[in-house]
Amino acid sequence: MTGHVRIAIAGAGISGFATLGHLVENLRAVASAKVVIYWLQPPREIQTHNLSAAQCDRLAHLKSIGLDPAQLFGGGQVYHPVQPSLFTFNGSSAARGFNFVSQRYDSTDYFEWVQANRPLLATLYPDFAPETGQQRHPVHTLDDIQGTTPRGAYGLYLHDQFLALKAHLPKHITLKIIPEALQASVHTEKTVAIETSTRKLSVDYLVQATGHRFAELRPEWAGRVFTAYPCDRYGQNLPQQIAVVGAGPAGIEVALHALHNLQVEHVTLVSRHAQSRLPQIEPTDPYKCQWFTPEKMRLQPTAENAKSLLRKELAACYQACNLPYPGWEKLLKIEAYPDFLRQYLQTTEQSPNHPFAHLVRPVMSFYDRVKDWLPADEQTGVLQLIHQVKPLFATQSRPCAELMLAAFQSKRLKLIAGDFLPAQTTPTIVRPDGTQIHPDCVILATGFVQSTSPPCYSQLRNTRCYSVIGTSLSSVNRQAASIANTIVETLAFDQASRSTKERVSAHCR
Ligand SMILES: Cc1cc2nc3c(=O)[nH]c(=O)nc-3n(C[C@H](O)[C@H](O)[C@H](O)COP(=O)(O)OP(=O)(O)OC[C@H]3O[C@@H](n4cnc5c(N)ncnc54)[C@H](O)[C@@H]3O)c2cc1C
């Protein structure tokens, strides 16, 4: 296709889809440029023998309505519909940061889409409706969409949005899906040569949106240690007792999946400080920070000041919420986590206006808002502070927290302090007192590492390669918007200079 601008996007998860959406939107204004967008995404291999009965039914139903679960677009790994229904989506993310379509090619937002597709969702996720089984939560229903839905429902919505985008593509844009992985890329001044297992392509721009993966597994651990995702790599063959390392949202949902869907009798959840995550609550009253603000940090840009401001803010916020302040030390060192979780759930049932609910956004965005004023060692200090308080503010869904509490109370789930040692050939967890345990089976939910190399292209104007990487919908959406903007501006600039040159040379002739 000579004369066309060629753009490749590797990865069809949220990051890749956001990039595609913003590119198409920006390119509408440059109708004189003929553009081909190559979207690379290898098919998803689903290990069907490891699925629960509900997952198998869902898979069959998806196929029966003409969807190919191996080749869905937009949701990537995290929002794949075949995942267990208790892998829930924090719906307010969609409302707050990622209403994909409103200004682009459709007018349906996620909440409207859920309502319009209720019969389909009820068929796909019957185990999400209130019933008496252990897995089901009384208020865990499709009516609760402002709070929670199965994450896979969001993946289906994104795929629908992709189909809508494809149907409304402007004539000057051609989209070509390549069902293969990007294997290599070489960047020269004018082009990027990209390679998959069967083809080589030359493009003008490459956006790498290949997501994250979990830590490498040692071959000696085969059959004994798994990464949390994709969760169809393990199944009914798990032993009665397992350890899940990492007590963030991933560790919690995977522990619940093992307990409720995979017939595991007992899960030991391991985290560094024997703390987990509290559920997200949306406060109904407004609250404005008076201490923990970027302005106050600017006056004294040190980690020590950040800590003192946060302590003052917590005390002030507890007072504003009419709750007794337990004190900084108690909040940082929670002795009996199940009791703490139970109390938090009770208190927030009475009123959602809790200090953790008010302060979650100020705390979790604080580092990004102040880092540019801080010297490197103070940046590290602020990051450490945020990391220390994170279990109180980085959130999970309320239904999962309630299921987690129920599992603690029925003694099928235990939370312990410990660290997994990745260099040991025998799976090993070391406790704070130095003792070691060697579980028969470990699922690692210890966070992400980046997916392929070399992914971190600088996002300078003179480069032709970009990468979108992030762990929240709003952050990848922001990056995608900025990259699409830069690409289209560069492309429009190149076009303008080319036509000026052509005019000048025609004039000279
Ligand atoms: C358990 C969990 C729950 C979450 N819940 C929420 C939530 O409720 N709200 C929220 O805001 N955020 C949530 N997030 C965070 C956020 O949504 C994800 O981090 C985000 O989806 C990442 O999207 P991505 O496109 O970058 O990566 P991915 O979803 O991993 O997509 C990357 C895609 O690239 C493909 N790929 C990989 N290598 C190649 C290659 N070489 N060539 C071509 N394609 C390739 C992969 O197959 C995949 O489809 C959650 C994250 C996790 C892990």
Side-chain angles (χ1 to χ4, degrees):
M1 289 215 180
T2 46
H4 283 68
V5 177
R6 297 143 308 165
I7 305 172
I9 304 171
I14 290 277
S15 302
F17 190 27
T19 306
L20 178 68
H22 286 289
L23 271 175
V24 169
E25 180 58 17
N26 289 5
L27 284 167
R28 282 184 204 281
V30 201
S32 56
K34 298 258 178 279
V35 180
V36 185
I37 301 177
Y38 299 98
W39 205 11
L40 288 84
Q41 170 64 53
R44 162 93 148 84
E45 282 166 27
I46 301 170
Q47 315 274 321
T48 42
H49 58 281
N50 281 328
L51 300 183
S52 66
Q55 289 174 283
C56 286
D57 290 348
R58 186 150 57 250
L59 192 68
H61 194 81
L62 288 170
K63 286 181 182 160
S64 76
I65 56 170
L67 286 175
D68 176 2
Q71 204 75 88
L72 296 173
F73 292 87
Q77 187 84 272
V78 174
Y79 301 98
H80 198 280
V82 114
Q83 296 186 108
S85 61
L86 61 66
F87 285 17
T88 49
F89 179 46
N90 168 4
S92 58
S93 303
R96 252 197 334 265
F98 209 65
N99 188 0
F100 225 136
V101 287
S102 59
Q103 303 97 33
R104 295 198 273 274
Y105 35 80
D106 199 345
S107 56
T108 314
D109 74 12
Y110 179 52
F111 305 115
E112 290 159 356
W113 181 89
V114 168
Q115 289 312 331
N117 287 279
R118 285 178 68 94
L120 170 67
L121 293 176
T123 310
L124 289 174
Y125 295 99
D127 53 341
F128 196 74
E131 285 176 37
T132 48
Q134 256 185 319
Q135 171 189 335
R136 293 136 192 156
H137 184 273
V139 293
H140 200 169
T141 78
L142 291 170
D143 291 321
D144 182 32
I145 54 168
Q146 292 297 335
T148 311
T149 56
R151 234 177 8 254
Y154 193 62
L156 284 171
Y157 161 76
L158 290 170
H159 183 75
D160 253 17
Q161 295 310 316
F162 160 67
L163 297 178
L165 173 139
K166 212 167 74 159
H168 291 95
L169 271 185
K171 288 216 162 39
H172 65 296
I173 304 175
T174 308
L175 178 65
K176 290 187 177 248
I177 304 283
I178 300 185
E180 288 178 47
L182 172 72
Q183 287 190 333
S185 64
V186 180
H187 173 204
T188 63
E189 197 198 335
K190 289 253 157 72
T191 55
V192 189
I194 63 172
E195 227 178 283
T196 68
S197 59
T198 66
R199 56 185 111 186
K200 293 183 176 162
L201 278 173
S202 170
V203 296
D204 301 289
Y205 302 94
L206 167 66
V207 182
Q208 192 154 343
T210 47
H212 297 84
R213 63 178 168 76
F214 286 96
E216 285 300 317
L217 296 178
R218 300 181 69 94
E220 302 91 336
W221 299 338
R224 221 175 137 180
V225 182
F226 304 90
T227 52
Y229 306 103
C231 69
D232 52 299
R233 297 282 156 82
Y234 47 89
Q236 311 288 340
N237 54 345
L238 291 179
Q240 288 292 290
Q241 318 254 337
I242 66 165
V244 173
V245 181
I252 294 167
E253 69 182 16
V254 160
L256 293 172
H257 173 50
L259 288 173
H260 294 309
N261 301 329
L262 303 179
Q263 281 73 52
V264 167
E265 196 42 54
H266 189 271
V267 175
T268 304
L269 196 55
V270 185
S271 79
R272 292 223 166 93
H273 303 289
Q275 287 189 10
S276 185
R277 295 284 168 84
L278 294 172
Q280 173 154 331
I281 313 281
E282 285 296 325
T284 47
D285 292 348
Y287 179 82
K288 194 165 182 311
C289 287
Q290 39 175 316
W291 297 102
F292 197 57
T293 64
E295 295 74 37
K296 289 227 163 20
M297 263 306 271
R298 202 166 194 165
L299 297 175
Q300 196 186 328
T302 64
E304 201 44 49
N305 185 39
K307 182 171 164 188
S308 137
L309 293 173
L310 181 56
R311 292 180 68 151
K312 285 188 196 159
E313 193 68 64
L314 272 164
C317 197
Y318 266 91
Q319 197 176 20
C321 295
N322 291 320
L323 289 170
Y325 179 45
W328 178 256
E329 279 73 24
K330 269 221 159 125
L331 286 181
L332 285 196
K333 197 165 180 342
I334 295 154
E335 296 292 349
Y337 194 82
D339 289 344
F340 175 76
L341 178 63
R342 183 180 42 76
Q343 249 176 26
Y344 179 76
L345 291 174
Q346 263 171 11
T347 313
T348 49
E349 203 153 55
Q350 283 150 22
S351 162
N353 295 303
H354 189 281
F356 301 158
H358 285 305
L359 298 181
V360 58
R361 273 164 222 144
V363 168
M364 294 310 288
S365 64
F366 195 72
Y367 175 75
D368 276 342
R369 296 173 71 197
V370 303
K371 66 176 187 299
D372 292 345
W373 310 325
L374 301 176
D377 52 337
E378 299 297 342
Q379 281 187 356
T380 312
V382 172
L383 266 185
Q384 277 167 351
L385 172 74
I386 302 297
H387 194 73
Q388 211 180 7
V389 296
K390 200 171 161 180
L392 304 175
F393 298 106
T395 50
Q396 59 149 321
S397 76
R398 188 171 181 108
C400 273
E402 293 181 355
L403 291 171
M404 186 184 179
L405 181 62
F408 279 138
Q409 288 170 338
S410 66
K411 304 216 178 326
R412 293 182 68 203
L413 180 67
K414 183 168 72 178
L415 181 62
I416 66 164
D419 228 334
F420 182 76
L421 302 180
Q424 303 286 318
T425 50
T426 305
T428 306
I429 288 161
V430 59
R431 305 290 312 271
D433 63 5
T435 52
Q436 295 192 348
I437 27 182
H438 305 286
D440 286 341
C441 175
V442 177
I443 297 179
L444 294 177
T446 41
F448 299 125
V449 289
Q450 247 169 6
S451 151
T452 47
S453 59
C456 270
Y457 302 112
S458 69
Q459 314 217 330
L460 299 174
R461 281 191 125 236
N462 63 356
T463 180
R464 289 174 174 273
C465 299
Y466 300 87
S467 71
V468 182
I469 194 98
T471 51
S472 82
L473 296 176
S474 42
S475 88
V476 298
N477 189 36
R478 267 196 309 275
Q479 288 174 49
S482 142
I483 289 170
N485 206 21
T486 308
I487 291 179
V488 175
E489 270 181 15
T490 317
L491 178 160
F493 178 78
D494 286 351
Q495 271 217 326
S497 20
R498 210 172 307 129
S499 52
T500 311
K501 268 191 210 145
E502 280 164 13
R503 268 204 309 276
V504 170
S505 74
H507 184 70
C508 292
R509 280 200 299 268

